[in-house]
Amino acid sequence: ELRSSRIRLCEVTGWPLDAPPQVRAGLEAPRTPPSLASVMRIAGERHPELRARRAAVAEAHARVELADREAWPTPVFGVQFAREGSAGTPANYVLLGTMGLPLPFWQLNQGERARARVDEDVAHAEEDAAARSLSSRIARSHSELTSAAERVALFTSNVAPSLQESLQLLRRGLDAGEIPLLDVALARERFLQFQRDALTAYADYYRALAELESAVGAELPSASAAPSAGGAP
């Protein structure tokens, strides 16, 4: 299973198949998940889809401003120089300034302005929809990660010490001839089942962490690690 997982990792990352990446043999103690508010803030700042949506809104707003500027009439200014007067009389020189406006100048670029405003409204709606969908996904992933971290902490901090202590007492009783071998074998079987359940809890934790970081669009900041107890797999 380990070899198959390493090969699948090569397929996903493009790692050379002749030298699959190694993995660490141990399991790290689960970190306390950051607060939901901080996770939402990180997603709002770094998530690529939200950043793309904000850029689309900014572009649509710029197009609205451009269309509004083009709606203003473009005046045409002119200068006319003329000489007046009959022959033999002093000449009169006339300098005239002109300004022309297109007609009708109060309904320019109406279609483009309307389309630009509609595009801006659509961009805002798409940004809001993406933010709501992402918020729901982050909240769900954060809840699953918190639950998985608490489940691992329960296994490592409460269940493991009590099972180890009970198993040690049974071994002492076996050595002293006070407890039959069958009771010790059953206790060891329960302990092995506990280890399998703890491994499942660890797998759920790492899966939930990966899903939350995928939803956030960035690696979560390091937080305090939950205390680990002896007997953790």
Side-chain angles (χ1 to χ4, degrees):
E1 290 178 357
L2 176 60
R3 285 194 297 270
S4 298
S5 299
R6 292 171 63 193
I7 292 175
R8 285 196 299 271
L9 184 59
C10 290
E11 295 175 351
V12 173
T13 60
W15 200 283
L17 289 174
D18 55 349
Q22 298 289 341
V23 295
R24 287 174 294 182
L27 292 175
E28 296 179 355
R31 301 192 306 267
T32 302
S35 64
L36 181 59
S38 63
V39 172
M40 290 291 188
R41 183 175 62 255
I42 294 173
E45 295 173 354
R46 303 184 186 179
H47 198 278
E49 181 179 359
L50 292 183
R51 295 176 65 180
R53 296 293 183 186
R54 285 194 293 268
V57 170
E59 179 185 2
H61 182 70
R63 292 184 182 276
V64 170
E65 293 182 343
L66 176 61
D68 289 339
R69 285 196 300 267
E70 293 178 349
W72 287 92
T74 303
V76 178
F77 297 95
V79 177
Q80 182 178 359
F81 179 78
R83 180 183 182 279
E84 295 180 352
S86 59
T89 60
N92 296 321
Y93 297 97
V94 179
L95 182 65
L96 299 177
T98 61
M99 183 182 68
L101 293 175
L103 294 177
F105 60 84
W106 58 86
Q107 289 183 349
L108 297 179
N109 207 28
Q110 294 298 316
E112 184 63 29
R113 294 172 67 189
R115 283 191 295 270
R117 285 183 168 81
V118 170
D119 291 341
E120 185 181 17
D121 293 339
V122 171
H124 276 293
E126 291 177 347
E127 181 188 16
D128 293 339
R132 286 194 297 270
S133 176
L134 183 63
S135 298
S136 300
R137 182 184 173 191
I138 290 176
R140 182 176 63 253
S141 300
H142 184 270
S143 176
E144 293 175 354
L145 178 62
T146 302
S147 175
E150 292 176 352
R151 192 161 60 249
V152 172
L154 178 64
F155 273 111
T156 58
S157 301
N158 298 334
V159 181
S162 61
L163 283 178
Q164 283 188 328
E165 183 180 359
S166 299
L167 187 58
Q168 291 175 357
L169 291 175
L170 287 174
R171 287 174 177 172
R172 293 195 190 100
L174 176 64
D175 295 337
E178 299 175 354
I179 298 178
L181 178 61
L182 180 60
D183 292 344
V184 179
L186 292 176
R188 292 190 62 178
E189 183 179 358
R190 288 194 297 270
F191 187 75
L192 293 175
Q193 181 61 45
F194 152 77
Q195 288 186 318
R196 285 192 292 266
D197 294 341
L199 286 174
T200 301
Y202 266 94
D204 293 340
Y205 167 79
Y206 285 115
R207 188 180 300 110
L209 177 61
E211 291 178 355
L212 180 58
E213 290 183 340
S214 175
V216 173
E219 185 177 359
L220 295 179
S222 299
S224 58
S228 60

